Amino acid sequence: MSFVPSIKPATAPRSSRSQVLACFEETRALTEALATPLSAEDQTIQSMPDASPVKWHRAHTTWFFETFVLAPTVRDYEVFDTNYGYLFNSYYEAIGARHPRSERGLLTRPGAAEIGKYRSYVNEAIIALIKNCSDDIWNEINASLILGINHEQQHQELLLMDVLHAFSCNPIEPAYAGTTPLPAHDSVSQTWTEFPGGITEIGFDGTTESEFAFDNEGPRHEVLLRPYRIGNRLITNQEWLNFIDDDGYKRPEFWLADGWSHVQSNEWEAPLYWRKDSLDHWSAFGLRGRQPLDPDAPVTHVSYYEADAFATWAGKRLPTEAEWETAATNVNMDGNLLSSRALRPTPASESERLSQMIGDAWEYTQSPYVPYPGFKAPAGAVGEYNSKFMSNQMVLRGGSCITPAGHIRKSYRNFFYPHQRWMFAGVRLAEDI
Amino acid sequence: MSFVPSIKPATAPRSSRSQVLACFEETRALTEALATPLSAEDQTIQSMPDASPVKWHRAHTTWFFETFVLAPTVRDYEVFDTNYGYLFNSYYEAIGARHPRSERGLLTRPGAAEIGKYRSYVNEAIIALIKNCSDDIWNEINASLILGINHEQQHQELLLMDVLHAFSCNPIEPAYAGTTPLPAHDSVSQTWTEFPGGITEIGFDGTTESEFAFDNEGPRHEVLLRPYRIGNRLITNQEWLNFIDDDGYKRPEFWLADGWSHVQSNEWEAPLYWRKDSLDHWSAFGLRGRQPLDPDAPVTHVSYYEADAFATWAGKRLPTEAEWETAATNVNMDGNLLSSRALRPTPASESERLSQMIGDAWEYTQSPYVPYPGFKAPAGAVGEYNSKFMSNQMVLRGGSCITPAGHIRKSYRNFFYPHQRWMFAGVRLAEDI
Amino acid sequence: MSFVPSIKPATAPRSSRSQVLACFEETRALTEALATPLSAEDQTIQSMPDASPVKWHRAHTTWFFETFVLAPTVRDYEVFDTNYGYLFNSYYEAIGARHPRSERGLLTRPGAAEIGKYRSYVNEAIIALIKNCSDDIWNEINASLILGINHEQQHQELLLMDVLHAFSCNPIEPAYAGTTPLPAHDSVSQTWTEFPGGITEIGFDGTTESEFAFDNEGPRHEVLLRPYRIGNRLITNQEWLNFIDDDGYKRPEFWLADGWSHVQSNEWEAPLYWRKDSLDHWSAFGLRGRQPLDPDAPVTHVSYYEADAFATWAGKRLPTEAEWETAATNVNMDGNLLSSRALRPTPASESERLSQMIGDAWEYTQSPYVPYPGFKAPAGAVGEYNSKFMSNQMVLRGGSCITPAGHIRKSYRNFFYPHQRWMFAGVRLAEDI
Amino acid sequence: MSFVPSIKPATAPRSSRSQVLACFEETRALTEALATPLSAEDQTIQSMPDASPVKWHRAHTTWFFETFVLAPTVRDYEVFDTNYGYLFNSYYEAIGARHPRSERGLLTRPGAAEIGKYRSYVNEAIIALIKNCSDDIWNEINASLILGINHEQQHQELLLMDVLHAFSCNPIEPAYAGTTPLPAHDSVSQTWTEFPGGITEIGFDGTTESEFAFDNEGPRHEVLLRPYRIGNRLITNQEWLNFIDDDGYKRPEFWLADGWSHVQSNEWEAPLYWRKDSLDHWSAFGLRGRQPLDPDAPVTHVSYYEADAFATWAGKRLPTEAEWETAATNVNMDGNLLSSRALRPTPASESERLSQMIGDAWEYTQSPYVPYPGFKAPAGAVGEYNSKFMSNQMVLRGGSCITPAGHIRKSYRNFFYPHQRWMFAGVRLAEDI
């Protein structure tokens, strides 16, 4: 089993029952498959406040379906456990009180096996509901189901991020996915693709894509671009080594003030999971354990501050999210949109045009995460899903090698704080023409 | 003496020697006038890490002229004290090591009187330089002098902010500017002015304004606006009371997640300097000590988080900086651009159009502080002035009642972190049409 | 199985091979029995920096035998895993670098099952060594084995303390030992037993006891006592409720300054595991889950600060450790020295003289933990066992209901910081005559 | 003027009016003299939470007389300022709410000059009271006056400690007492004086000394000593250098666990005010600025942890407080009891017996600060003076070079936390015979 298979969820808001059912079952099964290599202990800890335990992800995604689909719809539905509403609500103030985020790692019970039962219980109820409900109910729950599926897909990526971080804290360096290294990436020259300025549209286009999108991807709207060029590929580990070797982490002139402060207080001297084997040699810790650096692979696990400093050092800049999306829309990407490179080897030959746009590493933009013009948060708890985080974070685009296939699209807006590094985030450069 | 008089500095980059000389002397004198009501003790403390001691402001602004004008220009110039480069450099990495910001309040020496001598020493050297230097030198230093003057004006405002904060920590509630209350503001109805969408230009326009501007105000560039309307005046203390009375500080649905976290951990329940006299009655601490709230005065000393929550509660939003600047450019503001309301009473009759745009309170925009398209930081230490702060902060516009008159303009971009409250920041609302 | 059975280890330093073997096997088996009710998850977390994961206790006690018995003695001994020296060294600087204490809860691997294998591996090696080694080797390892056994017994108590703390952090309130409540304690009046002053001896007396003792229990030495009386029993939950009801936690006059600071910053208002059921009703969380308070049971889980404040409130004081030990030595305790009350019910009839001296709750003394006159720490790593903690802590005497039977004796000196509360610590009062 | 003159206060509890009056006036004048070299700025800051501003010391000691002498005695006494009770109460819970200790440095007002007026106001009232009150009143206030005088003397030492710390934070290294170095100490060999064991008495002996003592110095009581020897002089800077050169700060085997933790987290590598001039050369910052180390001067500004580690390294131990006091009582100290070495040079020839017992440096004992047997704290606010600090601190004996002459005596018990270093604390060794 590949733990990030190319499932293409039938996530169009108006999908049929059978399509949604298949997608639901595939998604729920994938989460369990992702947890399979992990012991009960592995699933329990929270290695930093930003992370959550694996079993918490398994339970929270289940709670999401229970709370937003079953409870409001199924008459006399009995929740699996009355404590779970408190334990597994993540951040929905409208739903009520919840267990403090920072204490998720203290919950040894319910255990991983019990969470498995919870998942089965809710799965059965959802499947029965999809199969048997009236058309009126179906129309009511369709969108919530699809949201729940996409929500669970997001947690699949978080689960892997969090496992990697947890394992990185263990001196014995456990490997999640075996220790066979991936084939090395080919060396690809950095070239540039130019785009003219002018007014263009970005944001989710319901009419042409007929797919699910999160609320923060709209409304589709016009933006005004200036002529720019964008790099054809992501920055590589070798290029990052060059930055380090040029004292990139020691020269404040490349850094934003807040970034420099982080460099100094956290003693950053390389990407998060790089480890020094000797004075001049680095390896990287990943889902396949500690491996020699592949010089041609995209650098990952850098913060926005590092990405910005690198771009300054290189005499370039990061693209805006409008530039990124416009590039993704207007060039031939040779089918990249449909393939995910995941933890699997990258095909040897890349597109001669833009490559690695989708599914390699989340790409930093220089755009802070703010609402699009005309955006209104939906009413109620679901309105908290995205909108309340619209401050202090930066937009990243394109998905990573651990983003579930089919979950990503070119209008997708991910967001992280500029100091965070545990996501698979990399760098593509841009510049004005 | 009014401590924020209507000096209009001759700050055009190509001003004549006599113009710059006059402006230099006025600005330097104003700083000293602002410090006059303060004892040596008042000038020494640093009441929080964001603030600086008054005498530090007096010295740092002097160091700025010494370092960026005298040292590179005057042959054999002897610095007043060789320790001062270390003590009074604020954040210029390119200049060298410096005293830690958080320890500025530990410097009892040099004393306030000694700083006065330092100021005189540098003043004399600058004045002699302006009067006597060759035309070549003059052309070289002209811009640095004007930058130094504007820099000192910024610190004049910071000085007053910091004094107010320091005094607010004292249970005996000292009054900086006497205790005579200002005349009450008139009640003005909230109305709205509409603006059409389309492409317009913002940013400092050197050709039409012939004034100084900071680097971050350019390049002037096109922006694409959607139709919007903007409030004719700032939100008042009474309106803020309504927000409080409607449990604005207790209902998470109005707040950004980061803001709500601040509300809870800091137990915010009102603007920074509001103090509860009794269960239902508030006063506000200010430069005139503790005074009853003027219901019709603009609310100030709120954070971005509070401004955003208020706007959400009101069913509106904050304007973008492009919207604000466009409004400021295109409507008749009845001369507001030239008058500062400072601590002086507001004229009873306000414009029927936009009012309080300039010199009442810094107005939050929903725009994060990022570089304008095409912006390049200048090389060297001066490049650190603005650009390295372009992350995590929000843009505020329009100046406040303690901004030196003549220092503000409609392209001016001030910036603060979204949790900060000690500046005179208020709220103007906007909405889509 | 009772998880704290009345094993009396044959821990005399000159015990026979068969005695030591039996004691080793019983002790090792008891640790595993204590862990049996716990899931792998339960064994993994570290709920606060003072606590350790259960599986860590199981591994560390094993490492102790491996490091201090097997490695120096058995030629060609192969350690079970070369990483474990780093992972499971607790605090022995002389042994080398070790995993940071605060990160013990991040080690999901090795898992609980793997630790079980480690225990078996070391058990077999130790058993073979005891059975087959030469008499010279036997004489060499005898003391280390007995130290290792007593060390593991200490960790058996820590294991239960840490489980209780971990479970106390879980809103679903798991019960370690079932939820059947213990029979209620009888009500016993507080009376006082008098002791004359004069010179007496305290400290471990090797000649009369022929038992193991830790280094810090000696040298036996003379102390000078003043006439005193000591309470016949421990302070009860009901008496503690009286203290609370008299605003004991709200009146600074009863408290040491450092204690009052803890009360305020931690909002202490009752013993650690007391939980308010309603305005006037408390229950207590324990190894049997949440149970109604037994008014006549000894209060436990109070800090030294609380014990001292209670004594001040009661107009008494805590005994010194010399007073406690002298009382324990000189009165008929009706065999209390040999019985442990553990989590089992207390016999209905108490001695008319001193009761609850051994095995009910650790009893605070007013004596800071300092070396006895003439004490010299042993050379090498073993010297770190006790002596480096001789600052900032207070001595507690008598053992608790979860102290392994046979592990405690009247010269035993336990020590904790004055703010700690997760041990089963209670209060006995004393006063001058 | 010497700022620590040899005033011998007539502090016997039954002193005459004229004696107390003279002593009051001298003590009050000395405080002002100590503040004379300091600017208003110097008197304002609080350079760390343990320290207080100089003007706060001046005000607090005045508040003490106002609160404990004038207010309860003088009919219709009007306090100088009704805010001062809140501002200048240090820690007396029984007196009421007070300004948070950590914010004393934020009080720029009242200024140093205003505090001077406060002092004069209270001085006049006290002097009038002493001169004019009835004998009944006199008998009532006599003890409080003497307590107030001794209290102020304690703050005179604290004032100098706090000034030194404040100046040590200033990169320009101000000198409080000019920069003329003290004459070097003579080199004196380390020898040992032996004392037999047995029962002896310690604690303040009212009948033979007829002097004031603090409550914590009694009751006088018997202690049981074992034979010991004690060093004839304090450990010198040169001996401390030897400890450093032998990697004393890098070898955990010498350190208590809590001490080692401090060494590492604070990166201690020398006494508090030592500064490295070059790789091998140290100077020390003191009241006379930065001066080369005098190798034969007593080391000062070390913590208990350092003192204990040094003793362990030297193969000795620290004395108990009973050993110290017995030594101080039973040997000829050549009049040391009456002379203070202050900042003045130490006489070249020391006693051939014990020297430097009084007035050179506070000497660490290995005794935690706990109440003497039979000690009862006085009722009311005065009872908070000493007793509530009887936890977590260590006893120091003998006074330092900045202790006011006449304030110290052999029964005097000073106390500090084991990590504190800003007092003039040094080391004398002892060992068992």
Side-chain angles (χ1 to χ4, degrees), chain B residues 52-92:
Chain B
S52 294
V54 166
K55 74 177 184 188
W56 186 93
H57 287 297
R58 293 170 59 218
H60 165 68
T61 49
T62 306
W63 166 88
F64 194 96
F65 284 109
E66 192 173 55
T67 303
F68 294 113
V69 180
L70 295 174
T73 309
V74 180
R75 183 197 306 259
D76 299 332
Y77 175 74
E78 286 193 33
V79 296
F80 181 75
D81 188 308
T82 52
N83 288 308
Y84 287 11
Y86 180 80
L87 294 180
F88 299 122
N89 177 0
S90 54
Y91 55 66
Y92 297 91

Side-chain angles (χ1 to χ4, degrees), chain B residues 241-405:
Chain B
L241 276 170
N242 297 344
F243 173 63
I244 294 174
D245 290 345
D246 196 29
D247 287 336
Y249 283 91
K250 295 175 187 160
R251 293 167 63 185
E253 63 263 35
F254 304 136
W255 295 80
L256 288 161
D258 289 343
W260 184 241
S261 166
H262 268 81
V263 167
Q264 296 190 292
S265 57
N266 298 292
E267 300 179 0
W268 285 351
E269 56 173 6
L272 175 58
Y273 293 127
W274 286 25
R275 296 178 176 188
K276 229 168 187 162
D277 300 317
S278 62
L279 196 62
D280 279 338
H281 194 260
W282 295 88
S283 58
F285 186 76
L287 290 169
R288 292 170 188 269
R290 184 170 178 165
Q291 299 281 355
L293 271 191
D294 175 356
D296 296 312
V299 69
T300 53
H301 299 293
V302 293
S303 64
Y304 173 79
Y305 294 131
E306 289 161 287
D308 180 80
F310 181 92
T312 301
W313 170 78
K316 309 291 182 187
R317 60 173 175 81
L318 302 173
T320 65
E321 63 172 323
E323 288 170 343
W324 190 96
E325 186 169 331
T326 301
T329 302
N330 288 291
V331 302
N332 169 20
M333 289 189 290
D334 286 344
N336 276 341
L337 271 168
L338 301 181
S339 82
S340 165
R341 236 153 240 94
L343 297 182
R344 300 180 299 278
T346 302
S349 94
E350 289 287 351
S351 159
E352 65 192 38
R353 301 291 292 272
L354 293 189
S355 68
Q356 299 177 320
M357 290 290 280
I358 297 287
D360 295 81
W362 287 103
E363 303 183 22
Y364 281 108
T365 72
Q366 62 170 245
S367 302
Y369 176 50
V370 291
Y372 279 165
F375 173 79
K376 295 277 186 204
V382 167
E384 300 182 53
Y385 197 103
N386 281 308
S387 69
K388 73 180 180 185
F389 303 107
M390 289 175 170
S391 65
N392 303 313
Q393 308 203 46
M394 303 302 295
V395 172
L396 297 93
R397 293 299 196 106
S400 80
C401 59
I402 62 162
T403 308

Side-chain angles (χ1 to χ4, degrees), chain A residues 41-42 44 105 108-109 111-112 170, chain C residues 41-42 44 108-109 111-112 170:
Chain A
E41 290 109 317
D42 293 335
T44 297
T108 64
R109 302 183 186 189
N170 194 326
Chain C
E41 290 109 318
D42 292 336
T44 297
T108 63
R109 303 183 187 188
N170 194 326

Side-chain angles (χ1 to χ4, degrees), chain A residues 146-326:
Chain A
I146 290 171
L147 178 63
I149 289 166
N150 279 274
H151 170 258
E152 182 144 352
Q153 290 178 318
Q154 290 185 313
H155 279 275
Q156 288 165 354
E157 178 156 3
L158 288 167
L159 183 160
L160 292 172
M161 288 159 57
D162 293 352
V163 164
L164 178 56
H165 189 271
F167 280 3
S168 81
C169 298
N170 194 326
I172 66 176
E173 302 189 333
Y176 170 80
T179 55
T180 309
L182 292 170
H185 281 67
D186 285 339
S187 173
V188 176
S189 300
Q190 176 72 293
T191 60
W192 305 88
T193 302
E194 300 202 345
F195 293 86
I199 290 180
T200 185
E201 282 195 354
I202 66 165
F204 181 68
D205 174 2
T207 56
T208 60
E209 299 196 23
S210 74
E211 274 183 9
F212 169 84
F214 287 108
D215 54 11
N216 64 2
E217 299 173 49
R220 189 165 175 86
H221 63 285
E222 292 185 328
V223 293
L224 178 62
L225 297 180
R226 294 154 48 99
Y228 65 102
R229 55 175 73 92
I230 197 164
N232 65 311
R233 61 157 173 76
L234 298 176
I235 294 303
T236 65
N237 287 328
Q238 181 59 54
E239 288 164 331
W240 203 269
L241 276 170
N242 298 344
F243 173 62
I244 294 174
D245 290 345
D246 197 29
D247 286 338
Y249 283 91
K250 296 175 186 160
R251 294 166 62 185
E253 63 263 37
F254 305 135
W255 295 80
L256 289 160
D258 289 344
W260 185 240
S261 165
H262 268 80
V263 167
Q264 295 191 293
S265 56
N266 298 291
E267 300 179 0
W268 286 350
E269 56 171 6
L272 174 58
Y273 293 128
W274 286 26
R275 294 177 177 190
K276 229 169 188 164
D277 300 316
S278 62
L279 197 62
D280 279 337
H281 195 261
W282 295 88
S283 57
F285 186 74
L287 290 170
R288 292 169 189 268
R290 184 169 178 168
Q291 300 281 356
L293 270 191
D294 176 357
D296 296 312
V299 70
T300 54
H301 299 294
V302 294
S303 64
Y304 173 78
Y305 294 129
E306 288 162 288
D308 180 80
F310 181 92
T312 301
W313 170 79
K316 310 290 180 184
R317 62 172 175 81
L318 301 174
T320 65
E321 62 173 324
E323 288 170 343
W324 190 96
E325 186 169 330
T326 301

Side-chain angles (χ1 to χ4, degrees), chain B residues 14-291:
Chain B
R14 295 270 72 82
S15 303
S16 70
R17 294 194 193 208
S18 64
Q19 284 173 313
V20 172
L21 183 61
C23 185
F24 174 81
E25 290 182 320
E26 279 177 295
T27 302
R28 298 285 289 170
L30 175 55
T31 301
E32 294 301 274
L34 291 175
T36 298
L38 300 171
S39 69
E41 290 109 317
D42 293 335
Q43 295 193 38
T44 297
I45 70 162
Q46 179 180 33
S47 58
M48 63 167 174
D50 286 339
S52 294
V54 166
K55 74 177 184 188
W56 186 93
H57 287 297
R58 293 170 59 218
H60 165 68
T61 49
T62 306
W63 166 88
F64 194 96
F65 284 109
E66 192 173 55
T67 303
F68 294 113
V69 180
L70 295 174
T73 309
V74 180
R75 183 197 306 259
D76 299 332
Y77 175 74
E78 286 193 33
V79 296
F80 181 75
D81 188 308
T82 52
N83 288 308
Y84 287 11
Y86 180 80
L87 294 180
F88 299 122
N89 177 0
S90 54
Y91 55 66
Y92 297 91
E93 303 274 356
I95 301 296
R98 64 210 168 282
H99 194 238
R101 178 181 179 106
S102 59
E103 297 177 17
R104 288 177 187 165
L106 300 183
L107 302 177
T108 63
R109 303 182 185 189
E114 188 70 7
I115 300 301
K117 291 181 194 159
Y118 180 36
R119 291 183 64 87
S120 298
Y121 178 89
V122 168
N123 283 353
E124 285 170 28
I126 290 281
I127 290 166
L129 180 66
I130 295 175
K131 288 183 175 161
N132 306 325
C133 70
S134 69
D135 283 352
D136 281 355
I137 294 288
W138 173 247
N139 289 333
E140 216 173 89
I141 64 170
N142 187 323
S144 299
L145 280 167
I146 290 172
L147 179 62
I149 289 166
N150 279 273
H151 171 257
E152 182 145 350
Q153 290 178 319
Q154 289 185 313
H155 280 275
Q156 288 165 353
E157 176 155 4
L158 287 166
L159 183 159
L160 291 172
M161 287 159 58
D162 293 351
V163 163
L164 177 56
H165 188 270
F167 280 4
S168 81
C169 297
N170 194 327
I172 65 176
E173 303 188 333
Y176 169 81
T179 55
T180 309
L182 292 168
H185 281 66
D186 285 340
S187 173
V188 176
S189 300
Q190 176 71 294
T191 60
W192 304 87
T193 301
E194 300 201 347
F195 294 87
I199 290 180
T200 185
E201 283 194 354
I202 66 165
F204 181 68
D205 174 3
T207 58
T208 61
E209 300 196 21
S210 74
E211 273 184 9
F212 169 84
F214 288 108
D215 53 11
N216 64 0
E217 298 173 51
R220 189 164 175 84
H221 62 286
E222 292 186 327
V223 293
L224 180 60
L225 297 179
R226 295 154 46 99
Y228 66 102
R229 56 176 74 91
I230 199 166
N232 66 310
R233 63 155 170 77
L234 298 175
I235 294 302
T236 65
N237 286 328
Q238 180 59 54
E239 288 164 329
W240 204 268
L241 276 170
N242 297 344
F243 173 63
I244 294 174
D245 290 345
D246 196 29
D247 287 336
Y249 283 91
K250 295 175 187 160
R251 293 167 63 185
E253 63 263 35
F254 304 136
W255 295 80
L256 288 161
D258 289 343
W260 184 241
S261 166
H262 268 81
V263 167
Q264 296 190 292
S265 57
N266 298 292
E267 300 179 0
W268 285 351
E269 56 173 6
L272 175 58
Y273 293 127
W274 286 25
R275 296 178 176 188
K276 229 168 187 162
D277 300 317
S278 62
L279 196 62
D280 279 338
H281 194 260
W282 295 88
S283 58
F285 186 76
L287 290 169
R288 292 170 188 269
R290 184 170 178 165
Q291 299 281 355

Side-chain angles (χ1 to χ4, degrees), chain D residues 134 252 371 398:
Chain D
S134 69

Side-chain angles (χ1 to χ4, degrees), chain A residues 37-42 44-47 55 83 86-87 99 105-113 166-167 169-172 174-175, chain C residues 37-42 44-47 55 83 86-87 99 105-113 166-167 169-172 174-175:
Chain A
L38 301 170
S39 69
E41 290 109 317
D42 293 335
T44 297
I45 69 163
Q46 179 180 32
S47 57
K55 74 177 186 188
N83 288 309
Y86 179 80
L87 294 180
H99 194 239
L106 300 182
L107 301 177
T108 64
R109 302 183 186 189
F167 280 3
C169 298
N170 194 326
I172 66 176
Chain C
L38 300 170
S39 69
E41 290 109 318
D42 292 336
T44 297
I45 70 163
Q46 178 180 32
S47 57
K55 74 177 185 187
N83 287 309
Y86 179 81
L87 294 180
H99 194 238
L106 300 183
L107 302 177
T108 63
R109 303 183 187 188
F167 281 3
C169 297
N170 194 326
I172 66 176

